[in-house]
Amino acid sequence: MMHAPRGERETPLDRLAPGEQGTIERIVGDRSMVRRLMELGLVPGTPVEVVRRAPLGDPVELRVRQVHLSIRRSEAAQIRVTPR
Amino acid sequence: MSRPADTPASETPAVVPLTLDQRPARGPAIRRRIAILGNPNAGKSTLFNALTGLRQKVANYPGVTVEKKLGICALPSGGRVELLDLPGSYSLRPGSPDEVIVRDVLLGLQPDTPPPDLIVFVVDATHLDRNLYLALQVLEIGRPVILALNMMDAAEARGIRIDERALEEQLGVPVVKISAARGTGIGNLRRLLERDVEPSTVRFRRLPPHLARVVQRLETRLPRHELLPERGRHDLALALLLDDGEDDAIARAAPPEVLDDVGILRRRLDQLAPGWRSDDIEERYETISQILARTVLSPGETRDANRERIDRVLTHRIFGPLIFLVLMGAVFQSVFAWAQPAMNAIDFLMTRVGFLAEGLMPAGPLRSLVVDGIIAGVGTTLTFVPQIAVLFLFLSVLEDSGYMARAAFIMDRLMGRVGLSGRSFIPLISSFACAIPGIMATRTIDNRRDRLTTIMIAPFMSCSARLPVYALLIGAFVPNRWIGFGTLPGLTLFSMYFLGIAAAIAVAWVLKRTVLRGGKPLYVMELPPYRMPSWRSVLITVRDRSLLFVHKAGTVILAVSVVLWFLASYPRGGPEVSALASRIAAAQAAGDAPRATELEDEMAGVSLRNSFAGRVGRALEPAIRPLGFDWRIGIGLITSFAAREVMVSTMATVFNLGSPGDDVVSLRESLRGAVDERGRRAYTPLVGVSLMVFFVLACQCMSTVAVVRRETNSWRWPLFMLVMMNALAWVTSFAVFQGGRLMGFG
């Protein structure tokens, strides 16, 4: 699989506003957590969308491979994306 | 890489133990064991229900809290197979106790559950790529698989078109399109279950070369294991290398020197290929996209308009929480409104049965045991069933429709403050009605530590059984005065509820930092599409929950009930009782019925005060004196272990009032007027408050202990709960009573 070069634009996923999309570059942090997120389909190169934030601002709802996931913002911060 | 030719599917033992039903009279013997597997929300359980009907049973895997669901499926030919509903999983590299079970069953490492002869892998056709991830992992271990493309109705409605013959070719296993909820395609699937299915011979691109080399090296060092097929050594080697959970079965299956090697190999890989732990994931998703390119003719509508419309309202910033609160309010109103009549009916019925037994049996210890021990214990168990049934009726509708995940999404932030997740909110709220169904509802919490924490704090929520006790004590000791914005009794009641919530938060905070401390869990949760719940699934859940409670918790409740009966009724007789008995006889002979009843009440009081419970109450007095309680309250603390509201009737008996019935006025008078040995007032308002505080915090409910035993599958947690809650109750009541005295109250 081709990895896009890590550019200046790489952003933690929690910085994306609801409705914005990005492409996953990499996931940082605890390796079992990285593995699990990737197994759920969050592999580099995959498009991901922040659908909404929960009423209290956390967690956020992601849409990836047509699956909707609830993920805490602290966890989303470990997913690095290129906005598009 | 795929299954080597020397391991045919038939290598698994042909003769399997009949675990569900061994009576041959019910039909032909069960030849095969089939497992249903798939992602959560793929419709596994709906399919399981459709295939088995009501022929199922639920048990636990030994040593863990994971439920094992077994059923019998009739085949078109008249044969029968045993079906095992494996827990929903995302991966064979486990991230939860449920997934550990799935891996261990499939690898043949689960002692009580041999690997299945055939796997029905259920795929949600509207989420094909994520679902195929686990499917590929399962195909790779080389067991016979049938792929069931479920939810085809929803997929077709969205214009998704899948070429199942091409998918069969790509995967190398039979593919069948079904809709488990509508029942379409189930006949085809049943026919397929008759066939001998061969494991896939497709060579899936599997491991990156550096990983493959290491796994191969490890594989040759593993001994031939009795439980593992030849092929299994490869999968075990992979699991050894990649799984680093807290387990267990994998480590036990390998000799210690191999485990040392695993550490060395991991460190070497860390240097050579830093991303090695997740390289196989990218490979697998790459394979999946190639398969999809050849099998999905039309991807259909990529957005689910239905879900977007509903979610805009249900997770709206203002309407979302509002709807959630209204919904919860409606659920609890219904639990009270629907369950209460049934509970009263059961109560009435059991009293009738008691009278009947009294009429049929001669007076004596045996009758007393049957009526006051056994029938009372069965009654206690049964009165919980309406609450459990009604609550689970609602909860399973909410769960199956997809709303429960949204509720957790809305509440997550709040619960995160105490180290839990949104999933803990509904079990805790349910516990205000009764901790029993609340604790049973913790099954939806997948994080083990969060689930245990929730179970441990659920009984702090003031349940409906505490209300009669609060009502008695507030009525007896709290003057009905307006202060500020409410009445004093109302504020007192509110404070008791508040104290319970505060204790729950504090205990959760402490537990998450001590005994239930653990690595930072990942709180990722799938928000499934909205679906119409199937009534069959809902009713099966209600039935399973109710029956499990009666079977597993009911036996403990019955045993404790008999012990409590014994303590309160023995030793019998004594000179005082004989004297009263003759006075009763005299009063009856004289036709003075009121006097006879009065004397009978007095005799009940004397008997209880002289019983073992009475003696324990007295022996307990030094321990509870610092809380302001005397031995009479001590008796009540013992008997109310049957159920908290028993405190009221026990106090009535202790004060010679017989059964209080609906009118507790005279009992309030007795409490207010009670004097100690030196003629001083025994219970001041401060004692009343101290006792209420004790009831908020103490674990005085055998049914809670029994259900925690059942839900945690061990005695360790219920005993921990008993000690922790009662210690907290003692310390807090001590502080209230002694502090109050220092400040000049009482």
Side-chain angles (χ1 to χ4, degrees):
Chain A
M1 167 167 276
M2 288 290 291
H3 289 257
R6 284 172 200 161
E8 301 271 298
R9 304 203 314 134
E10 191 182 286
T11 314
L13 182 58
D14 66 317
R15 300 264 180 85
L16 260 52
E20 285 186 342
Q21 298 186 6
T23 305
I24 297 171
E25 294 295 337
R26 62 200 173 110
I27 305 174
V28 298
D30 172 63
R31 57 172 187 245
S32 63
M33 180 172 162
V34 173
R35 239 198 102 86
R36 177 46 47 137
L37 287 173
M38 286 178 68
E39 288 188 311
L40 289 170
L42 293 143
V43 295
T46 312
V48 58
E49 177 190 339
V50 173
V51 179
R52 62 168 57 80
R53 293 190 180 142
L56 295 171
D58 196 13
V60 294
E61 177 178 342
L62 302 182
R63 184 167 174 275
V64 61
R65 295 176 192 272
Q66 302 198 39
V67 174
H68 291 242
L69 299 172
S70 157
I71 182 170
R72 290 194 175 166
R73 290 186 69 173
S74 58
E75 296 162 348
Q78 293 178 261
I79 302 167
R80 303 293 156 81
V81 298
T82 311
R84 55 174 193 175
Chain B
M1 199 182 293
S2 113
R3 178 185 64 88
D6 60 348
T7 21
S10 55
E11 196 177 276
T12 40
V15 182
V16 292
L18 304 180
T19 49
L20 195 73
D21 181 3
Q22 308 207 6
R23 284 168 296 177
R26 296 257 304 259
I30 294 155
R31 289 187 5 256
R32 296 211 293 172
R33 339 170 89 248
I34 297 176
I36 299 186
L37 178 59
N39 279 182
N41 305 309
K44 247 168 16 67
S45 296
T46 314
L47 177 62
F48 180 74
N49 291 337
L51 288 174
T52 60
L54 295 176
R55 285 151 302 180
Q56 352 178 323
K57 73 166 193 179
V58 185
N60 270 64
Y61 290 97
V64 288
T65 59
V66 182
E67 278 191 345
K68 180 176 182 178
K69 287 181 79 182
L70 283 171
I72 298 286
C73 170
L75 299 178
S77 68
R80 299 188 307 162
V81 287
E82 184 185 274
L83 276 191
L84 169 67
D85 187 13
L86 285 168
S89 307
Y90 290 113
S91 169
L92 280 190
R93 308 272 72 87
S96 71
D98 283 20
E99 291 179 347
V100 169
I101 289 289
V102 171
R103 179 201 63 190
D104 289 351
V105 169
L106 294 191
L107 292 190
L109 298 169
Q110 183 65 29
D112 66 316
T113 314
D117 304 312
L118 174 64
I119 296 164
V120 174
F121 193 96
V122 186
V123 164
D124 173 357
T126 61
H127 296 103
L128 203 51
D129 58 352
R130 215 277 314 284
N131 278 245
L132 280 181
Y133 182 83
L134 177 64
L136 284 196
Q137 282 184 320
V138 172
L139 289 173
E140 283 161 13
I141 61 174
R143 293 202 180 275
V145 171
I146 292 173
L147 196 87
L149 276 179
N150 193 18
M151 310 200 180
M152 275 317 296
D153 51 334
E156 273 159 15
R158 281 183 35 196
I160 300 171
R161 281 175 54 226
I162 301 163
D163 181 346
E164 78 241 63
R165 297 284 89 83
L167 194 57
E168 277 185 349
E169 207 171 290
Q170 290 291 313
L171 299 177
V173 296
V175 173
V176 56
K177 288 183 174 176
I178 64 166
S179 166
R182 298 221 174 152
T184 48
I186 302 296
N188 288 340
L189 178 59
R190 264 186 221 272
R191 275 190 287 282
L192 265 178
L193 296 184
E194 309 247 26
R195 273 187 23 202
D196 282 326
V197 177
E198 286 296 310
S200 175
T201 50
V202 175
R203 292 175 160 269
F204 298 103
R205 189 131 69 91
R206 186 179 188 181
L207 291 179
H210 54 278
L211 214 50
R213 266 200 306 277
V214 172
V215 169
Q216 203 173 16
R217 216 183 112 184
L218 215 49
E219 195 182 325
T220 54
R221 308 258 342 249
L222 289 171
R224 278 163 202 274
H225 198 281
E226 49 173 317
L227 282 167
L228 284 174
E230 183 62 24
R231 159 108 191 102
R233 291 200 297 169
H234 174 87
D235 301 300
L236 181 60
L238 193 68
L240 270 172
L241 200 64
L242 285 173
D243 299 358
D244 51 1
E246 296 147 18
D247 47 293
D248 50 30
I250 289 290
R252 277 197 305 275
E257 64 272 16
V258 176
L259 289 180
D260 293 341
D261 261 18
V262 169
I264 296 167
L265 289 169
R266 279 180 178 171
R267 279 192 292 279
R268 195 173 301 163
L269 279 167
D270 280 339
Q271 289 169 353
L272 286 173
W276 65 273
R277 285 168 197 272
S278 39
D279 284 348
D280 64 310
I281 305 172
E282 289 188 59
E283 291 282 350
R284 212 167 273 123
Y285 270 110
E286 186 61 35
T287 309
I288 290 169
S289 56
Q290 286 165 14
I291 293 174
L292 292 182
R294 291 176 195 134
T295 54
V296 176
L297 306 173
S298 158
E301 189 61 58
T302 53
R303 303 201 84 98
D304 180 348
N306 188 36
R307 104 180 262 146
E308 280 173 25
R309 234 182 359 255
I310 301 174
D311 266 341
R312 259 203 295 278
V313 180
L314 292 186
T315 60
H316 185 270
R317 264 182 56 202
I318 294 148
F319 297 127
L322 218 58
I323 291 170
F324 174 66
L325 289 178
V326 169
L327 215 54
M328 286 296 105
V331 168
F332 292 111
Q333 201 47 50
S334 315
V335 171
F336 279 116
W338 297 0
Q340 202 58 54
M343 288 162 74
N344 293 345
I346 289 171
D347 216 31
F348 176 78
L349 215 70
M350 292 314 286
T351 316
R352 281 287 140 139
V353 172
F355 285 150
L356 199 70
E358 257 174 9
L360 289 174
M361 298 173 72
L366 185 64
R367 186 174 88 177
S368 172
L369 167 67
V370 169
V371 175
D372 300 323
I374 295 171
I375 295 179
V378 171
T380 305
T381 307
L382 291 183
T383 46
F384 285 110
V385 172
Q387 295 189 65
I388 292 169
V390 175
L391 190 73
F392 274 94
L393 179 71
F394 283 105
L395 293 190
S396 53
V397 168
L398 293 180
E399 182 73 53
D400 293 357
S401 66
Y403 182 74
M404 208 65 120
R406 272 68 176 191
F409 181 65
I410 292 171
M411 297 314 296
D412 188 69
R413 176 76 193 274
L414 213 59
M415 300 308 292
R417 295 274 173 92
V418 285
L420 295 172
S421 80
R423 284 269 171 197
S424 294
F425 191 79
I426 284 174
L428 290 177
I429 284 283
S430 309
S431 301
F432 281 111
C434 175
I436 312 300
I439 286 167
M440 291 169 72
T442 60
R443 284 202 169 265
T444 55
I445 306 171
D446 19 72
N447 182 284
R448 181 184 148 268
R449 293 189 185 89
D450 283 9
R451 176 156 182 249
L452 282 171
T453 306
T454 310
I455 289 175
M456 290 297 121
I457 65 175
F460 284 119
M461 305 294 133
S462 278
C463 61
S464 52
R466 284 170 171 106
L467 263 179
V469 182
Y470 296 158
L472 171 68
L473 294 172
I474 288 175
F477 296 113
V478 181
N480 195 359
R481 262 206 316 262
W482 273 88
I483 58 154
F485 44 88
T487 63
L488 202 48
L491 281 179
T492 311
L493 189 62
F494 176 80
S495 318
M496 293 307 137
Y497 277 82
F498 182 79
L499 175 66
I501 297 170
I505 292 172
V507 169
W509 193 88
V510 170
L511 287 179
K512 290 288 277 184
R513 274 158 191 80
T514 52
V515 276
L516 291 171
R517 187 182 50 220
K520 208 172 128 222
L522 186 59
Y523 285 108
V524 173
M525 171 185 68
E526 191 172 345
L527 297 166
Y530 289 102
R531 286 185 187 125
M532 204 43 127
S534 122
W535 283 109
R536 173 149 60 174
S537 294
V538 168
L539 292 178
I540 285 175
T541 304
V542 169
R543 183 197 66 166
D544 283 352
R545 291 298 130 211
S546 307
L547 286 182
L548 273 174
F549 174 77
V550 173
H551 282 173
K552 297 293 158 82
T555 42
V556 176
I557 294 173
L558 189 60
V560 176
S561 171
V562 168
V563 170
L564 289 174
W565 161 81
F566 178 78
L567 288 178
S569 349
Y570 281 85
R572 310 173 78 85
E576 224 178 328
V577 171
S578 322
L580 275 165
S582 44
R583 284 172 65 195
I584 291 169
Q588 277 166 341
D592 190 351
R595 179 68 191 146
T597 310
E598 222 176 276
L599 288 168
E600 272 170 4
D601 290 348
E602 194 181 330
M603 189 162 88
V606 169
S607 301
L608 180 58
R609 289 194 292 270
N610 290 340
S611 70
F612 289 120
R615 292 176 200 187
V616 176
R618 278 176 217 273
L620 217 55
E621 199 175 68
I624 56 177
R625 195 76 255 184
L627 317 183
F629 310 159
D630 66 358
W631 61 275
R632 289 172 290 201
I633 292 180
I635 298 177
L637 294 184
I638 294 158
T639 56
S640 61
F641 193 61
R644 287 181 175 92
E645 72 268 19
V646 172
M647 179 78 183
V648 177
S649 57
T650 300
M651 293 317 274
T653 309
V654 168
F655 284 99
N656 295 349
L657 292 172
S659 155
D662 297 329
D663 172 36
V664 289
V665 174
S666 47
L667 181 54
R668 287 182 198 161
E669 303 279 319
S670 301
L671 289 180
R672 271 199 292 267
V675 289
D676 64 14
E677 289 80 2
R678 280 178 279 175
R680 290 176 314 184
R681 191 178 179 194
Y683 311 133
T684 59
L686 185 60
V687 174
V689 172
S690 172
L691 187 54
M692 271 190 276
V693 167
F694 194 86
F695 264 84
V696 172
L697 302 174
C699 181
Q700 278 166 303
C701 178
M702 59 174 178
S703 310
T704 303
V705 174
V707 84
V708 173
R709 152 81 189 92
R710 145 79 195 146
E711 290 296 314
T712 62
N713 209 4
S714 88
W715 276 108
R716 197 174 48 180
W717 289 105
L719 291 178
F720 173 78
M721 169 186 273
L722 204 58
V723 172
M724 179 265 293
M725 289 185 72
N726 289 346
L728 185 66
W730 194 92
V731 169
T732 315
S733 285
F734 179 86
V736 166
F737 185 67
Q738 299 298 341
R741 285 221 306 192
L742 285 178
M743 287 191 287
F745 296 107

